[in-house]
Amino acid sequence: YFFTLVPTVVSKLGEVRKEGYQYSVTEHLRHLPPNSALGLPGVYLHYDVSPVKVEEVERRETWGMFATTVAAVFGGSVAFWRMIDRAAFSRIGGDRLG
């Protein structure tokens, strides 16, 4: 079994900051034929503490940040569909005016 521990800090609005750990477990299984010299049967435990710390922070966005995000999504969508339109139009050999 391989265990990985990741230090974690969770900060939510109106609550006390909580520190703890997240973990993941990976199981590796190897079948040995009877009377083989490939290894000894057993249970091996390996653990690792990650050098990276995860911080989860909950915050409220202002209306200005929300408006900027909506404008960015809209602008990206327009740019994407213009590229698709230009590629499709040039593929059929059309020539645009303007």
Side-chain angles (χ1 to χ4, degrees), residues 4-5 8 11 13 15 25-26 42 45 48 59 62 67 77 79 87 97:
T4 304
L5 296 175
T8 306
S11 301
L13 291 174
E15 292 183 13
V25 178
T26 304
L45 302 174
D48 183 27
R59 64 172 190 239
T62 63
S77 299
L97 297 174

Side-chain angles (χ1 to χ4, degrees), residues 16-59:
V16 178
R17 178 181 164 158
K18 298 176 187 174
E19 295 192 27
Y21 292 93
Q22 294 182 26
Y23 68 92
S24 66
V25 178
T26 304
E27 178 182 354
H28 179 71
L29 187 63
R30 183 172 77 168
H31 294 285
L32 297 175
N35 300 327
S36 72
L38 297 175
L40 295 173
V43 176
Y44 301 99
L45 302 174
H46 301 276
Y47 71 93
D48 183 27
V49 178
S50 176
V52 178
K53 186 177 198 176
V54 175
E55 290 195 35
E56 181 182 330
V57 179
E58 182 182 41
R59 64 172 190 239

